[in-house]
Amino acid sequence: MKKVYVIGAGPAGLTAAYELLKQSKDYEVTVLEESEAMGGISKTVNYKGNRMDMGGHRFFSKVPEVNEWWDNMLPRQGAPTYDDIVLHREMTLAPGGPDPEKEDRVMLRRNRVSRIFFKNKFFDYPISLKPETFINMGFLTTLEVGFSYLASLIHKRKEDSLEDFYINRFGKKLYSMFFEHYTENLWGRPPKEIAPDWGAQRVKGLSIIAIIKDVFAKLIPGKKDREVETSLIEEFSYPKLGPGQLWEVTADEIRKMGGTVLTGCKATKLHKNENNHITSLTYENNGEEITVEGDIFISSMPVKDLVAGMNDVPETEAKIAAGLPYRDYMTVGLLLPKLNLKNKTKIKTINNIVPDCWVYVHDRSVKLGRFQIYNNWSPYMIKDLNHTVWIGLEYFVFEGDKYWSMSDEEFTKFAVDEIVKMGLIDSPDDVMDYHVERVKKAYPAYFDTYKDMDTLIAYLKSIDNLYCVGRNGQHRYNNIDHSMVTSFITVHNIVNGIEDKDAIWNVNTEKQYHEEKA
């Protein structure tokens, strides 16, 4: 049997391990995970019965194989009503009730609500053409937005930066209102210094024209299966106990099929011979260095760290990898009795809290980038659903900067002061409990040596038994489904002896999404 080592137990790594074991009996598969959790940035943290999603993850894909894969791991069910939730919680907690583990292995169907909080008002994201949008903007601003957009249609910019990308699609006024500050807060760089690739991957075909087309498409009766831009989806699936649940189940299935999943094991070195072929891998476990021989290596670890741990890397490629930038992430979970935000929508929610899963913050006076309301992702994320609101305040930082270096108590105080200033709560005394999480290299960034990424990719492809998958494995801001597809193709190549790796690296040359209506 060939020995396969998979580095990282995130979506890409676990998908690769699972698929390889499912498709062939010829491989001995071991997954090495640095942390104790499954899912990477898609993990779910359980703090005293309240669960936190790191970054917010919607499960929606145009790839049939991905949807089928999710359904196989966690069967889908409809979005539960309030009565369903209360009944289910009573049944699973009652003696002699249904097996909680079996009852919990489902995907919920959720309504997508995410808005922008700007000047103490809510705007739909993506920006909609509803009357509320124009009322919130005001007459003069609406005129400015309209003329600015018309100007962008007449004069298209050459897209040398992310700023050019956004202005071409939304006009300069909307860009300055809803993209410029948020993007700089996210990346720590102004959009004019960021390559347009990020917009091409994350915003796809979204534009004012796309929004108008979507509005009119909804007016056509009987058109259930219509094409829709990714950012315009209105429903998505979500694991009942958070996204980490999916990857915990996947890890269990890997073990059942004979695979090994090791936690607390950080891959540090890959050893190549004179033929540019990897012969072994070194990982650390409890301070001990362990070196193991292998035949195939699948990496979802950051490219920067991967290349730094290799021997005999050419100087040019080594410099490119060393200069690749990342944005790190911090979130503080706050347990509150209530939020001051009023639910002015027609959407019914438990305790009438605002219906948003997450809210983008465009207030230039605060550092806060986004906040999640975990009650709305899944009611099962909350220990006391009827009496508490569990939110996550998200901050984009650099590892080692002043925010990252704060103690949990200092960072929480800073964050709480910001939401008091924003009016989300009345006083720091409203906070019943808190928990802070830090995530390194959460977002691969598109500046500095990223411009030379193609040279580095060519070198990584030349290592015959190395496969790079997933977001950090390819230094590409992929969604979960794209990360999984890189692993699908990798396993297909391995099992079928295909040496060309172009298809693996070409994932996320985006086609249009297709909305699926139940």
Side-chain angles (χ1 to χ4, degrees):
M1 295 179 70
K2 290 185 176 181
K3 290 186 177 181
V4 179
Y5 284 92
V6 179
I7 304 172
L14 291 175
T15 299
Y18 176 85
E19 286 298 310
L20 198 52
L21 288 165
K22 186 178 78 169
Q23 294 186 32
S24 176
K25 305 292 185 183
D26 298 333
Y27 302 95
E28 178 185 318
V29 180
T30 301
V31 180
L32 302 173
E33 169 55 38
E34 178 181 359
S35 72
E36 299 298 327
M38 297 295 104
I41 193 177
S42 298
K43 70 180 179 180
T44 299
V45 174
N46 187 342
Y47 176 70
K48 297 181 181 179
N50 293 303
R51 297 171 184 268
M52 300 171 65
D53 181 349
M54 298 294 101
H57 295 86
R58 295 194 300 264
F59 289 76
F60 176 89
S61 181
K62 71 177 186 306
V63 183
E65 293 84 356
V66 170
N67 287 315
E68 183 180 346
W69 201 94
W70 288 338
D71 288 346
N72 180 55
M73 287 293 176
L74 294 176
R76 280 192 287 179
Q77 70 174 38
T81 64
Y82 176 70
D83 291 337
D84 292 335
I85 294 162
V86 173
L87 176 64
H88 182 271
R89 289 172 69 88
E90 289 175 351
M91 289 173 64
T92 54
L93 295 176
D99 182 342
E101 184 177 347
K102 289 183 180 178
E103 291 292 312
D104 285 340
R105 288 187 63 161
V106 295
M107 280 270 202
L108 304 179
R109 197 69 179 161
R110 313 302 290 149
N111 292 319
R112 175 192 183 276
V113 181
S114 57
R115 293 182 290 177
I116 293 170
F117 194 65
F118 179 66
K119 293 187 176 180
N120 290 321
K121 296 176 181 177
F122 278 110
F123 292 82
D124 286 344
Y125 178 81
I127 294 299
S128 70
L129 301 181
K130 296 176 182 176
E132 294 92 335
T133 301
F134 303 115
I135 292 170
N136 285 343
M137 283 187 184
F139 179 71
L140 290 178
T141 300
T142 300
L143 280 181
E144 280 187 81
V145 166
F147 284 117
S148 174
Y149 177 63
L150 289 175
S152 74
L153 293 178
I154 297 168
H155 174 67
K156 288 292 182 185
R157 291 177 169 225
K158 181 182 177 184
E159 292 187 359
D160 292 326
S161 69
L162 189 56
E163 178 174 88
D164 299 327
F165 178 92
Y166 281 135
I167 291 175
N168 278 345
R169 285 156 183 78
F170 299 97
K172 196 164 185 178
K173 182 61 178 180
L174 271 183
Y175 161 74
S176 68
M177 292 171 64
F178 297 124
F179 295 96
E180 185 176 25
H181 171 69
Y182 182 83
T183 304
E184 183 167 355
N185 192 15
L186 170 59
W187 293 113
R189 296 278 184 95
K192 62 185 177 184
E193 295 180 13
I194 301 173
D197 306 44
W198 185 81
Q201 281 186 265
R202 299 301 289 187
V203 181
K204 309 296 181 191
L206 184 63
S207 65
I208 295 294
I209 294 296
I211 294 170
I212 293 171
K213 286 171 63 178
D214 187 68
V215 169
F216 282 101
K218 290 176 182 176
L219 300 176
I220 302 174
K223 196 164 185 180
K224 295 182 178 180
D225 297 320
R226 60 189 177 85
E227 292 182 346
V228 62
E229 297 300 338
T230 314
S231 298
L232 297 174
I233 63 166
E234 296 177 346
E235 290 185 335
F236 61 92
S237 296
Y238 192 79
K240 180 176 173 179
L241 299 178
Q245 180 187 14
L246 176 67
W247 306 113
E248 290 161 6
V249 169
T250 303
D252 287 342
E253 294 300 316
I254 289 169
R255 295 185 185 103
K256 288 176 185 177
M257 291 189 289
T260 302
V261 181
L262 301 177
T263 59
C265 295
K266 179 182 179 180
T268 56
K269 300 174 186 175
L270 278 82
H271 309 281
K272 298 190 282 93
N273 63 18
E274 64 278 4
N275 296 318
N276 208 33
H277 179 87
I278 299 173
T279 58
S280 59
L281 172 152
T282 298
Y283 65 91
E284 294 178 353
N285 177 241
N286 291 325
E288 179 185 2
E289 279 200 342
I290 301 168
T291 299
V292 290
E293 294 184 350
D295 300 294
I296 297 170
F297 300 85
I298 301 173
S299 173
S300 65
M301 71 188 291
V303 174
K304 185 173 191 172
D305 298 336
L306 173 72
V307 175
M310 286 183 185
N311 61 297
D312 300 328
V313 178
E315 183 179 357
T316 298
E317 284 78 1
K319 284 183 177 179
I320 295 169
L324 288 175
Y326 298 83
R327 194 66 158 150
D328 306 291
Y329 167 89
M330 294 178 69
T331 186
V332 54
L334 297 180
L335 191 64
L336 307 167
K338 65 181 179 65
L339 280 174
N340 287 341
L341 299 174
K342 303 291 185 183
N343 181 13
K344 297 180 180 179
T345 72
K346 296 179 181 179
I347 301 172
K348 183 180 178 182
T349 60
I350 297 168
N351 298 332
N352 204 34
I353 62 174
V354 289
D356 307 72
C357 296
W358 65 45
V359 177
Y360 297 93
V361 177
H362 289 235
D363 186 336
R364 294 174 183 264
S365 68
V366 296
K367 171 72 175 169
L368 179 63
R370 194 171 65 188
F371 64 90
Q372 295 191 63
I373 304 174
Y374 299 118
N375 301 52
N376 295 333
W377 282 104
S378 167
Y380 302 95
M381 301 274 278
I382 316 303
K383 184 177 181 179
D384 186 354
L385 184 66
N386 291 317
H387 303 99
T388 60
V389 180
W390 179 233
I391 67 173
L393 308 181
E394 301 183 345
Y395 289 81
F396 311 113
V397 300
F398 289 117
E399 182 183 354
D401 70 12
K402 69 175 183 178
Y403 302 103
W404 185 274
S405 302
M406 287 180 178
S407 67
D408 288 359
E409 185 178 3
E410 290 171 333
F411 182 68
T412 300
K413 182 181 183 306
F414 167 77
V416 169
D417 286 346
E418 288 207 328
I419 65 169
V420 170
K421 179 180 180 180
M422 293 168 58
L424 302 190
I425 62 175
D426 295 322
S427 160
D429 294 335
D430 291 342
V431 178
M432 302 163 66
D433 203 352
Y434 69 88
H435 179 71
V436 175
E437 286 286 327
R438 294 168 172 81
V439 180
K440 297 179 182 179
K441 295 183 173 66
Y443 306 112
Y446 287 46
F447 39 84
D448 295 344
T449 59
Y450 173 79
K451 66 183 185 301
D452 301 314
M453 190 66 190
D454 287 346
T455 300
L456 182 57
I457 290 172
Y459 173 71
L460 294 171
K461 286 181 185 176
S462 73
I463 304 172
D464 65 329
N465 61 338
L466 173 67
Y467 297 86
C468 296
V469 297
R471 174 182 287 194
N472 273 329
Q474 296 191 341
H475 200 85
R476 186 173 293 161
Y477 201 149
N478 286 329
N479 285 324
I480 291 175
D481 59 343
H482 294 127
S483 294
M484 292 175 65
V485 172
T486 63
S487 294
F488 288 165
I489 299 172
T490 290
V491 170
H492 176 77
N493 283 14
I494 292 170
V495 172
N496 293 282
I498 299 171
E499 296 180 0
D500 191 311
K501 299 174 185 175
D502 285 351
I504 301 170
W505 286 92
N506 287 340
V507 170
N508 202 5
T509 52
E510 187 64 29
K511 301 171 187 174
Q512 289 187 337
Y513 265 77
H514 194 262
E515 185 177 39
E516 295 178 350
K517 291 283 188 182

